[in-house]
Amino acid sequence: MCYLGTDGLPDQNDQKRKRLGEAALLYLMQQYHTYPPDKQAQAIISLLEHHAADTLQRDDILWLGWRC
């Protein structure tokens, strides 16, 4: 899989203003890279919803993935 995205996803804050971060996103990508794209998308959405619960989105979020 190849991924391309804006900084909005790793920069999203939680309630304590802690960023999601590149490490959490990289870990998720390593765990799900063999899954179908729709399952990967759901995992990313779940991670973001869990991390950013009850906070406002602070930046645009664009994330693309495709098989190479």
Side-chain angles (χ1 to χ4, degrees), residues 23-45:
L25 192 55
L26 178 61
Y27 179 77
L28 183 84
M29 296 295 103
Q30 290 172 337
Q31 298 301 310
Y32 284 88
H33 76 277
T34 60
Y35 284 58
D38 61 325
K39 298 291 185 190
Q40 293 181 40
Q42 188 57 46
I44 293 169
I45 291 167

Side-chain angles (χ1 to χ4, degrees), residues 15-30:
Q15 290 180 348
K16 296 178 182 177
R17 300 198 45 85
K18 182 180 178 212
R19 296 175 57 238
L20 176 62
E22 290 84 5
L25 192 55
L26 178 61
Y27 179 77
L28 183 84
M29 296 295 103
Q30 290 172 337

Side-chain angles (χ1 to χ4, degrees), residues 38-57:
D38 61 325
K39 298 291 185 190
Q40 293 181 40
Q42 188 57 46
I44 293 169
I45 291 167
S46 294
L47 175 68
L48 182 61
E49 287 175 347
H50 177 73
H51 177 78
D54 300 324
T55 63
L56 296 175
Q57 184 174 324

